[in-house]
C-alpha cells in the first residue's frame, strides 16, 4: 500500500464518492487513503479458487460472497478495507451496495508486502466486527493456511492446515481440500 502524500484527512463521503470513479482501489484508514497494489498470479488464483468454491456453496442462500472489489467498513476502527474474499449472511448488509459491515468470514491471501499488516493492525481492526467468526490467512508462496476462529468465549483460536488436510470453515459450514485452494499455483508435497 502507498500512503496518500497529502497531510489532510479525507471524509468518509469523499472517500466513497472517489472510489466509485477511481481506476484503482484505495483503503481508508482513519482519514488517510492508501492505494492498493495489484496482486500476483498466485494471489489472484488462490483468491479466485476459494471464491468459486464458496460462491457455489452460498448460491441460493441468504449469504453473499464477495471477492476483491467489495469494501468492509469497520465503524469502530474508522476504516474501509478490501478483503480478498468475504462472506456476509446478515440481512443488514443488503442495504448498502458499496460496502458491507457484518461479515461472518474474511479471507486474506498474504503477499510479502502486506503480510505483517494483515496479521497485525488489520486483524486488530477486523476483530472489532462483532459478526466476524473466522479470519483466514493464506500464504501464496508456500502451502500454509491459518484460520483464526472466534470461540464461544469470544476469544480467537488458531487452526492450521497442512497440505493433505481439509480446510473447515464453520462460519459458513464449508470444507474443501487444501489442494483445491492451491490448484494451479503450488505443488502439494
Amino acid at each position: 500500500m502507498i500512503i496518500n502524500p497529502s497531510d489532510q484527512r479525507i471524509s468518509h463521503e469523499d472517500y466513497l464518492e472517489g472510489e466509485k470513479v477511481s481506476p484503482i482501489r484505495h483503503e481508508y484508514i482513519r482519514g488517510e487513503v492508501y492505494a492498493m497494489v495489484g496482486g500476483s498470479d498466485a494471489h489472484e488464483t488462490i483468491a479466485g479458487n476459494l471464491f468459486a468454491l464458496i460462491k457455489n456453496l452460498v448460491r441460493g442462500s441468504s449469504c453473499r460472497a464477495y471477492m476483491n472489489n467489495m469494501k468492509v467498513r469497520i465503524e469502530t476502527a474508522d476504516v474501509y478495507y478490501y478483503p480478498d474474499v468475504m462472506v456476509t449472511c446478515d440481512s443488514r448488509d443488503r442495504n448498502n451496495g458499496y460496502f458491507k459491515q457484518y461479515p461472518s468470514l474474511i479471507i486474506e491471501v498474504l503477499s510479502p508486502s502486506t503480510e505483517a499488516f494483515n496479521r497485525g493492525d488489520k486483524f486488530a481492526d477486523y476483530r472489532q466486527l462483532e459478526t466476524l467468526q473466522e479470519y483466514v490467512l493464506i500464504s501464496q508462496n508456500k502451502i500454509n493456511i491459518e484460520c483464526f476462529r472466534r470461540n464461544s468465549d469470544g476469544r480467537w483460536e488458531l487452526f492450521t492446515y497442512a497440505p493433505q488436510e481439509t480446510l473447515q470453515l464453520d462460519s459458513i459450514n464449508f470444507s474443501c481440500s487444501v489442494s483445491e485452494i492451491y490448484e494451479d499455483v503450488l505443488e502439494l508435497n
Side-chain angles (χ1 to χ4, degrees):
M1 293 189 299
I2 302 170
I3 190 166
N4 180 6
S6 170
D7 289 333
Q8 297 180 354
R9 302 272 186 220
I10 186 171
S11 71
H12 291 252
E13 296 78 15
D14 289 344
Y15 164 73
L16 291 170
E17 286 305 311
E19 284 300 280
K20 290 177 185 177
V21 297
S22 177
I24 59 172
R25 297 175 301 144
H26 302 84
E27 291 188 330
Y28 176 99
I29 303 173
R30 294 171 269 291
E32 296 182 17
V33 175
Y34 298 82
M36 302 294 295
V37 297
S40 68
D41 182 88
H43 183 281
E44 293 302 304
T45 301
I46 290 167
N49 288 346
L50 263 168
F51 175 76
L53 293 165
I54 291 170
K55 176 65 177 164
N56 283 332
L57 173 78
V58 302
R59 180 173 278 121
S61 74
S62 62
C63 298
R64 297 290 179 267
Y66 299 95
M67 181 179 160
N68 289 332
N69 288 316
M70 179 56 71
K71 293 175 287 300
V72 61
R73 178 180 184 198
I74 308 169
E75 191 170 348
T76 56
D78 192 23
V79 297
Y80 293 85
Y81 292 128
Y82 282 96
D84 290 318
V85 178
M86 168 175 56
V87 177
T88 178
C89 302
D90 196 301
S91 62
R92 294 174 290 180
D93 272 334
R94 300 276 171 86
N95 298 327
N96 192 306
Y98 294 100
F99 61 85
K100 305 303 172 192
Q101 293 181 273
Y102 307 102
S104 54
L105 170 66
I106 291 178
I107 300 170
E108 296 283 5
V109 179
L110 302 174
S111 62
S113 64
T114 64
E115 182 170 0
F117 181 63
N118 285 333
R119 290 182 179 284
D121 291 344
K122 190 180 254 190
F123 186 29
D125 290 339
Y126 282 153
R127 287 193 305 263
Q128 295 181 47
L129 293 164
E130 292 181 11
T131 58
L132 188 64
Q133 298 172 38
E134 290 173 310
Y135 179 53
V136 181
L137 297 172
I138 302 174
S139 174
Q140 65 176 309
N141 299 322
K142 62 183 178 182
I143 298 166
N144 185 38
I145 299 175
E146 299 169 306
C147 176
F148 294 89
R149 187 171 297 132
R150 192 185 309 248
N151 67 22
S152 59
D153 295 329
R155 297 181 187 267
W156 291 89
E157 296 180 278
L158 171 62
F159 297 84
T160 59
Y161 295 89
Q164 304 308 321
E165 292 185 325
T166 298
L167 171 66
Q168 178 65 41
L169 299 176
D170 295 344
S171 60
I172 58 171
N173 196 25
F174 171 83
S175 64
C176 73
S177 68
V178 169
S179 64
E180 289 177 278
I181 296 166
Y182 284 99
E183 182 180 358
D184 299 326
V185 178
L186 296 172
E187 294 294 322
L188 298 176
N189 295 323

